[in-house]
Amino acid sequence: MSNQYQERSAVVRIIFITVGIIFIVRLAFMQVFDSEYRRLADQQALRPITQYPARGLIYDRNGELLVYNEAVYDLMVIPRMTKGLDTNMFCRVMGITRDEFDARMNKARKYSTYSPSAFMKQVSKEEYGSWQNHLYKFHGFYVQQRTLRVYDKPIAAHVLGYVGEVDKDDIKNDKYYKQGDYIGKSGLERSYEEVLRGVKGKRIMQVDVYNRQIGSYMNGAHDTIAIEGGNLYTTIDAELQEYAEGLMANKRGCIVAIEPSTGEVLAMVSAPGYDPNLLVGRVRGENYLKLDSDVNKPMLNRALIGQYPPGSIFKVAQAMVALDLGVITPQTGFVCDKSLVGCHNHPSARSVQEAIKMSCNPYFYQVYRRVIQQGKYKNIYKDAQYGLTVWDDYMHRFGFGQKLPIDLPRGGMSSGNIPDTAFYNDKRWYGRDKWAFSTIYSNSIGQGEVTVVPIQMANLACIVANRGYYITPHLVRYYGPDSTRNEEFYTRHETGIKPAYFEIAANGMYDVVHAAGGTARRANIPDIDICGKTGTAQNIGDDHSVFISFAPKNKPKIAVAVYVENARGGGGYWAAPIASLVIEKYIRGEVTRKDVERMYREATPCQKLPLPRTIKKKRK
Amino acid sequence: MENKIDWISVALYAFILIFGWFNIYAACYDDAHTAVFDLATNHGKQLMWIGVAAIVALLITHIDPHIFSSTAYLIYAGVIGLLILTLFIGTATNGGLSWIKIGSFKFQSSEFAKFATALALAKYMSALDLDYSQLRTKIIAWTIILIPAGIILLQHDAGSALVFGSFLLPLYREGMSAKILITGLIAAVLFVLALLINKFILVGVLAAIGLFYLFVWLNKRTRTHYVWVTVAFLACTAFIFSVDLVFDKVLEPHQRDRIYVLLGKTDDTSDTGYNVHQSKIAIGSGGLFGKGFLNGTITKADFVPEQETDFIFCTVGEEWGFIGSLVLIAAYISLLLRIIRLAERQYSKFSRFYGYSVASILFLHFLINIGMVLGLLPVIGIPLPFFSYGGSSLLAFTILLFIFLRQDQERTTPI
């Protein structure tokens, strides 16, 4: 072989090798150095599907299901993958107009062209079924299952709260959330969000060129399983709640019923209320705006956020403080001197028990004076400051002037106002050494600067029922798969006042309902020893009608506070009979006084009520 | 005297064949049909074709090698007849007319034209009194090549026709002027540049190169230099300005689109550029070690069209990664170099020329196919030898290779 041919053979070999090297270099760049292809591949062939766990269910204290879930479907779209979509056919199948399509598509594109976003949200099972078979024709679209809350009984909306889509802050505060996720917005849904939500799972599915899922990616090696949300077992008695809500129809105000021995809230009503089903699904936004703009503020939970003058119910606490301080004795009497403070016509009270029964204003004026001006200092201003500080401490032990640590969102709660020295010393109020008992005496009868939240009123009833202590009011007994119980909710909060004094208060409250001259004879039910205290709180409009109560007198099973806003006619007239119906319903299981029940259910506070027949009969 | 068959070539052939089958299996794999041998599936059919190919290979190694040389023209004439027949009774597939259908059995006659032409050309070129420098010889040689290529072009199978260009390499080895290769290369480069750059700028640059060559590069200038540079410049200029004409009038629209896509002149990833775009995604996403056998997300999900046939390399790239691709390319290059080595040890010119033809045909398929899937060359649909799904091509390539290996066994006897 000549040299020339050797050379030519070499040229051919070099051509082969060069091409091989070019290919290998190209492959190295594509496969090893450039990660863009991998991203593109995953993006078009893999579809991460979030597995939304079912949100935890909510039960009442008797195991009745209050809140459960219903499956709905979100139609998801990845805008970049919808190339070549037959828009006309799509609109026809989905039943939307071309304009709607463009609007939704633009919104999705704005969010991201690569990431999926919801094109149509919360499509019902029926609607989904109508186009499910066509879905394969539409590249870039797929369906994701979600759940919505369902409430069989339209009750306890304020307690349960509602669920809505996360907002920007939610996403920022907790990385768990992604756009489009749901979160508890209020009520128990919010305060037990972490229990109820469970843990989202993720499945990575492979999709083929026709957008069909063809199996899980790497046999699910990267998948995580969704963990179902934990259930809540609440303290609410659904039947009682429903009944109490019925009683508050056409009225503004609230009812709080608590089991005194445990602090378990049996019912919590805020009127006007709303059907919780209104704030679910696609109708939520519209209904929310409607409810939010309603002048009666149906979405507020008055039981927790309403700060009301307590009126005469406050006297019970004042008596206990004075007795404990020793500034009065159980037998101390005061003349009903209407020159000090106005009062209704009644004989002068000769004991604490009588004073509570008759709710004598001048009596408690005197009691409060002895608490505030104890004579420790000669300077009456200093003396008043000392007295108010002591009083203030007592009031906080009664749970006033602070947010009770109930298991609902703190944001939806008020603390009420118990004025302290700093409050009055503030120049915007009276200023230092410019106030004494004579300026603040209205507090004694639950007027003036004092405000109390209804839950605190019910709590006061619990304190008397328990003869001196309360358990934190709460709404959940236990939760989750392990039935976790929050022990904090079962600790006793002592007032530090002798039970014997509370016995006097209980006797006085018994007389309010049962004795001649009692202010709440309308609350009287045969066979049930109801103890109560009325209140008629003056304010800018018509008086508010207040009643706190517990029953039976010994080993009480239930404490109830009723507050009816602007109910012309006083505590005994409106709030007391309503409370008695709630108590009867709970203790007896049914209400025998159907006429009373009907009257209060249908009544609106504007009309003057005739005295119920059962009470008329009793008088004879 | 008979030598042992070249086991290195056979081993490389077998490796490529088996690796190919695994990738065909992966490409048409779906969880519902996992049976390995099922004639309803492409991998099942391919398994059958592999069996047929093995039998044919075995038969070839047992027949008298002289028969190839003595019947070369006869085979050639037969295949030409078949090609012409195909023009009339052929079945259209993918825009081409290259399939003959007999019952349920289809085969592509153009696949068999390659070894037949190689045999005929080898026979002609090995004539003892041949003088390649004579014009007559050149014309006859090129006629042997261009007849089948022309008929195949009439079948609208430009890819297969292009493969006949591979005979440039054996001709070059046997004494064809290197200028033809170089001219071809320059023409290709100018063709691409003319499509990419403004033609006047291109001509200007060429003029500058010519002047630089004449007045800076050369120390002494003769008249011949001036004449040749001028002729070359004028030829290039004419060529550049005829590119548009060729491009618009000669090429078919889909061919123009494919070239535009390759040159990045259109950015379309959904239509014409879709195949290559998906192919690059599949290969590029494989990474260093690949996603693993049957774990390719792109190929398994049918994103790449023609993935068992012309785009089979995607499966290698995606599932076996850079390492797997490297091994396959190394196997091909090794096989090609081995064939060249074997060709050079042939006693007879016929065998040597045929060996070079085998290597060149395989090489051109390898170049065009892998260049296409890697996005380096325009989309030209031809199979990857021994690797792509398809009975005709597997059988034809096997015959092509084993005729040569059979001759290599008899290399010490003059044919």
Side-chain angles (χ1 to χ4, degrees):
Chain A
M1 199 195 298
S2 72
N3 272 341
Q4 190 209 344
Y5 293 120
Q6 266 181 7
E7 251 175 49
R8 291 194 165 211
S9 172
V11 167
V12 172
R13 287 168 214 236
I14 287 167
I15 291 173
F16 291 175
I17 292 168
T18 308
V19 167
I21 289 172
I22 290 172
F23 285 171
I24 286 164
V25 170
R26 169 76 170 178
L27 281 163
F29 274 100
M30 283 171 71
Q31 298 186 298
V32 185
F33 302 121
D34 192 345
S35 59
E36 175 69 5
Y37 291 108
R38 182 62 194 242
R39 196 186 67 74
L40 287 170
D42 288 352
Q43 190 208 311
Q44 77 176 10
L46 302 182
R47 181 188 299 151
I49 293 188
T50 308
Q51 302 279 297
Y52 291 98
R55 202 170 168 83
L57 308 177
I58 304 181
Y59 292 91
D60 93 332
R61 64 189 294 113
N62 300 315
E64 188 181 328
L65 192 54
L66 295 177
V67 186
Y68 59 97
N69 304 305
E70 173 187 68
V72 288
Y73 302 85
D74 282 359
L75 178 62
M76 308 298 288
V77 64
I78 302 167
R80 203 190 65 91
M81 288 178 60
T82 59
K83 267 182 197 168
L85 177 73
D86 184 343
T87 313
N88 286 332
M89 179 161 80
F90 182 87
C91 291
R92 208 165 53 238
V93 169
M94 299 291 168
I96 57 171
T97 65
R98 182 61 205 247
D99 289 344
E100 252 179 289
F101 174 86
D102 290 339
R104 286 164 191 269
M105 206 61 184
N106 285 338
K107 201 181 157 202
R109 277 210 190 91
K110 219 177 207 175
Y111 172 65
S112 167
T113 55
Y114 287 90
S115 310
S117 59
F119 184 83
M120 278 203 298
K121 277 182 193 166
Q122 296 162 1
V123 176
S124 70
K125 211 182 288 174
E126 292 72 30
E127 205 182 320
Y128 170 53
S130 73
W131 45 252
Q132 186 182 6
N133 292 335
H134 296 278
L135 194 62
Y136 76 94
K137 295 176 196 161
F138 309 129
H139 278 216
F141 287 91
Y142 66 97
V143 158
Q144 194 152 54
Q145 193 183 322
R146 304 298 299 268
T147 57
L148 284 187
R149 289 307 224 184
V150 188
Y151 310 84
D152 274 347
K153 282 184 180 172
I155 58 166
H158 300 101
V159 171
L160 300 172
Y162 62 92
V163 174
E165 247 179 60
V166 288
D167 54 32
K168 275 182 199 148
D169 288 339
D170 295 326
I171 296 172
K172 208 170 71 186
N173 294 338
D174 188 340
K175 280 189 183 149
Y176 175 83
Y177 299 104
K178 298 272 174 296
Q179 175 155 350
D181 283 359
Y182 294 137
I183 189 173
K185 290 281 187 185
S186 70
L188 293 173
E189 296 278 17
R190 176 156 178 174
S191 53
Y192 286 90
E193 166 68 12
E194 285 184 22
V195 175
L196 290 167
R197 74 184 181 192
V199 179
K200 279 186 287 188
K202 194 165 87 172
R203 284 178 75 196
I204 303 177
M205 298 299 290
Q206 283 188 50
V207 291
D208 70 4
V209 68
Y210 308 109
N211 198 27
R212 291 177 304 209
Q213 291 179 13
I214 52 170
S216 67
Y217 176 57
M218 292 188 66
N219 291 321
H222 295 288
D223 294 2
T224 53
I225 299 169
I227 301 169
E228 264 186 35
N231 296 340
L232 295 188
Y233 301 89
T234 67
T235 62
I236 293 287
D237 182 317
E239 213 181 319
L240 187 70
Q241 175 79 24
E242 190 179 19
Y243 183 76
E245 286 188 20
L247 291 176
M248 289 303 285
N250 313 317
K251 304 165 193 72
R252 282 185 308 170
C254 51
I255 298 176
V256 179
I258 301 174
E259 184 176 71
S261 58
T262 57
E264 293 176 357
V265 177
L266 302 169
M268 184 181 277
V269 181
S270 178
Y274 62 94
D275 180 346
N277 288 304
L278 289 178
L279 293 184
V280 171
R282 284 197 267 185
V283 292
R284 197 178 81 83
E286 196 188 323
N287 288 331
Y288 184 92
L289 287 179
K290 237 184 255 172
L291 290 171
D292 196 41
S293 57
D294 190 323
V295 283
N296 286 319
K297 297 287 168 206
M299 283 202 296
L300 284 185
N301 187 357
R302 290 170 149 81
L304 293 181
I305 211 167
Q307 308 192 67
Y308 298 104
S312 301
I313 61 163
F314 206 51
K315 292 168 182 169
V316 178
Q318 306 318 306
M320 296 301 101
V321 173
L323 286 170
D324 194 51
L325 285 170
V327 295
I328 59 166
T329 70
Q331 273 69 47
T332 304
F334 291 108
V335 176
C336 179
D337 182 353
K338 287 177 188 146
S339 66
L340 301 174
V341 56
C343 200
H344 53 105
N345 290 322
H346 63 86
S348 292
R350 290 158 300 178
S351 67
V352 172
Q353 191 178 331
E354 274 191 13
I356 290 173
K357 179 187 84 177
M358 295 184 285
S359 195
C360 178
N361 287 344
Y363 186 94
F364 284 95
Y365 173 94
Q366 298 288 11
V367 167
Y368 191 54
R369 198 185 66 184
R370 290 197 181 177
V371 171
I372 299 300
Q373 310 287 180
Q374 290 181 34
K376 302 266 178 185
Y377 297 91
K378 286 207 171 120
N379 179 322
I380 61 151
Y381 300 116
K382 258 195 177 167
D383 200 34
Q385 279 207 36
Y386 172 78
L388 190 74
T389 308
V390 170
W391 176 77
D392 200 63
D393 177 49
Y394 273 110
M395 288 300 101
H396 277 87
R397 281 191 253 162
F398 275 87
F400 295 127
Q402 61 192 301
K403 289 181 179 178
L404 289 173
I406 189 168
D407 45 352
L408 282 176
R410 306 289 289 164
M413 247 181 246
S414 302
S415 55
N417 186 38
I418 296 299
D420 55 8
T421 53
F423 179 87
Y424 288 127
N425 284 342
D426 192 312
K427 272 182 195 151
R428 278 167 296 178
W429 202 260
Y430 294 127
R432 207 179 172 80
D433 292 346
K434 282 184 181 155
W435 59 272
F437 170 71
S438 56
T439 19
I440 64 166
Y441 69 86
S442 298
N443 292 342
S444 66
I445 56 167
Q447 298 286 153
E449 288 77 56
V450 171
T451 59
V452 166
V453 183
I455 182 96
Q456 295 170 343
M457 300 178 195
N459 197 44
L460 175 62
C462 286
I463 291 169
V464 182
N466 291 336
R467 311 297 197 262
Y469 69 90
Y470 70 92
I471 312 280
T472 309
H474 57 273
L475 284 154
V476 171
R477 287 174 136 180
Y478 48 90
Y479 57 82
D482 309 323
S483 300
T484 314
R485 200 173 106 129
N486 197 337
E487 291 305 327
E488 224 178 278
F489 292 149
Y490 291 89
T491 49
R492 276 168 67 148
H493 300 270
E494 303 285 350
T495 55
I497 298 170
K498 274 189 224 162
Y501 295 147
F502 281 101
E503 202 57 49
I504 292 165
N507 288 335
M509 286 169 72
Y510 182 81
D511 290 346
V512 166
V513 181
H514 296 91
T519 54
R521 298 293 304 280
R522 279 167 191 261
N524 192 335
I525 320 170
D527 315 331
I528 301 177
D529 297 340
I530 296 184
C531 302
K533 179 73 197 81
T534 56
T536 305
Q538 293 163 8
N539 69 103
I540 299 159
D542 286 336
D543 293 348
H544 298 319
S545 176
V546 200
F547 192 66
I548 61 167
S549 56
F550 61 90
K553 187 181 170 210
N554 293 313
K555 297 198 174 164
K557 285 182 181 162
I558 182 169
V560 180
V562 177
Y563 207 100
V564 185
E565 287 178 20
N566 306 114
R568 209 184 305 153
Y573 205 75
W574 284 97
I578 290 173
S580 78
L581 288 167
V582 172
I583 289 170
E584 187 183 359
K585 174 76 183 172
Y586 184 68
I587 290 181
R588 226 199 287 274
E590 58 172 336
V591 172
T592 51
R593 300 169 300 151
K594 293 291 177 195
D595 54 335
V596 184
E597 181 187 288
R598 192 173 55 247
M599 185 189 308
Y600 281 96
R601 206 177 259 185
E602 291 166 3
T604 60
C606 309
Q607 56 186 134
K608 194 87 175 164
L609 286 181
L611 209 59
R613 256 186 302 144
T614 41
I615 291 172
K616 273 184 199 162
K617 273 180 209 157
K618 271 226 102 161
R619 274 200 169 167
K620 284 167 194 170
Chain B
M1 175 188 140
E2 190 160 308
N3 299 289
K4 269 197 215 161
I5 195 158
D6 182 56
W7 283 109
I8 295 176
S9 303
V10 174
L12 288 167
Y13 161 81
F15 169 76
I16 293 170
L17 196 64
I18 291 163
F19 192 28
W21 182 81
F22 274 101
N23 282 287
I24 292 166
Y25 181 77
C28 40
Y29 177 83
D30 77 71
D31 296 323
H33 305 92
T34 51
V36 169
F37 192 75
D38 175 357
L39 282 180
T41 61
N42 283 348
H43 56 81
K45 286 183 201 157
Q46 187 71 1
L47 206 56
M48 181 193 79
W49 284 117
I50 288 173
V52 172
I55 292 165
V56 168
L58 204 66
L59 285 177
I60 291 171
T61 52
H62 282 85
I63 56 177
D64 180 1
H66 300 93
I67 204 158
F68 304 123
S69 130
S70 51
T71 60
Y73 291 139
L74 200 64
I75 292 172
Y76 179 75
V79 168
I80 296 292
L82 209 55
L83 284 176
I84 294 169
L85 190 67
T86 309
L87 277 181
F88 295 104
I89 65 162
T91 318
T93 308
N94 294 339
L97 271 171
S98 46
W99 294 84
I100 289 185
K101 205 170 168 189
I102 303 165
S104 66
F105 177 78
K106 283 196 309 183
F107 79 100
Q108 205 171 6
S109 53
S110 55
E111 294 295 349
F112 299 91
K114 291 163 194 167
F115 81 84
T117 308
L119 282 175
L121 196 60
K123 173 83 177 171
Y124 178 70
M125 292 298 290
S126 58
L128 285 174
D129 55 348
L130 192 87
D131 181 359
Y132 189 73
S133 59
Q134 283 184 355
L135 184 64
R136 185 172 163 274
T137 315
K138 287 177 188 169
I139 289 172
I140 292 176
W142 281 103
T143 307
I144 292 174
I145 297 167
L146 291 176
I147 287 174
I151 300 171
I152 289 168
L153 205 55
L154 289 176
Q155 294 173 354
H156 298 280
D157 188 359
S160 293
L162 196 62
V163 171
F164 287 82
S166 56
F167 289 109
L168 278 170
L169 285 181
L171 287 174
Y172 165 71
R173 165 63 182 80
E174 296 305 327
M176 182 190 81
S177 167
K179 282 174 190 155
I180 295 175
L181 277 186
I182 295 166
T183 310
L185 193 67
I186 289 174
V189 170
L190 283 181
F191 186 85
V192 170
L193 287 177
L195 290 175
L196 282 179
I197 320 173
N198 184 306
K199 293 180 184 56
F200 293 97
I201 295 176
L202 192 58
V203 170
V205 170
L206 285 178
I209 291 171
L211 293 174
F212 175 85
Y213 174 74
L214 274 181
F215 298 107
V216 182
W217 191 265
L218 292 177
N219 292 324
K220 278 183 184 172
R221 290 170 288 275
T222 62
R223 218 177 69 189
T224 337
H225 283 127
Y226 288 113
V227 171
W228 274 113
V229 167
T230 310
V231 167
F233 174 74
L234 289 175
C236 286
T237 307
F239 180 74
I240 287 167
F241 284 97
S242 65
V243 159
D244 275 349
L245 192 73
V246 171
F247 197 71
D248 291 339
K249 304 286 177 200
V250 178
L251 293 183
E252 292 182 33
H254 70 275
Q255 293 168 331
R256 285 201 291 274
D257 288 342
R258 287 168 179 183
I259 290 171
Y260 272 141
V261 167
L262 178 73
L263 298 179
K265 285 208 146 188
T266 54
D267 204 16
D268 190 1
T269 54
S270 63
D271 191 19
T272 311
Y274 178 81
N275 285 25
V276 176
H277 180 66
Q278 291 297 342
S279 153
K280 281 158 76 179
I281 287 178
I283 295 167
S285 65
L288 185 59
F289 298 107
K291 295 176 187 172
F293 183 53
L294 300 183
N295 284 333
T297 56
I298 302 296
T299 49
K300 203 168 136 185
D302 303 334
F303 282 100
V304 189
E306 304 287 330
Q307 57 178 339
E308 305 116 77
T309 55
D310 299 344
F311 282 88
I312 188 68
F313 189 77
C314 295
T315 315
V316 183
E318 187 177 20
E319 295 193 348
W320 302 87
F322 179 66
I323 302 292
S325 310
L326 187 72
V327 168
L328 183 62
I329 286 171
Y332 271 112
I333 300 299
S334 306
L335 179 62
L336 295 176
L337 295 177
R338 183 70 193 168
I339 294 169
I340 295 295
R341 191 186 160 92
L342 298 187
E344 287 295 349
R345 76 181 183 190
Q346 298 305 310
Y347 182 86
S348 84
K349 201 179 171 190
F350 172 81
S351 299
R352 183 175 68 218
F353 189 91
Y354 183 77
Y356 265 87
S357 301
V358 172
S360 305
I361 290 169
L362 294 179
F363 168 71
L364 209 62
H365 275 89
F366 170 80
L367 170 73
I368 293 175
N369 183 283
I370 300 199
M372 165 184 78
V373 295
L374 294 182
L376 293 170
L377 292 173
V379 175
I380 296 168
I382 60 171
L384 191 58
F386 315 125
F387 206 88
S388 291
Y389 166 75
S392 304
S393 72
L394 175 59
L395 212 53
F397 284 125
T398 302
I399 293 169
L400 179 78
L401 178 65
F402 276 84
I403 285 178
F404 174 63
L405 293 181
R406 178 73 188 113
Q407 289 171 42
D408 177 59
Q409 278 180 287
E410 297 283 341
R411 60 185 173 270
T412 40
T413 343
I415 294 173

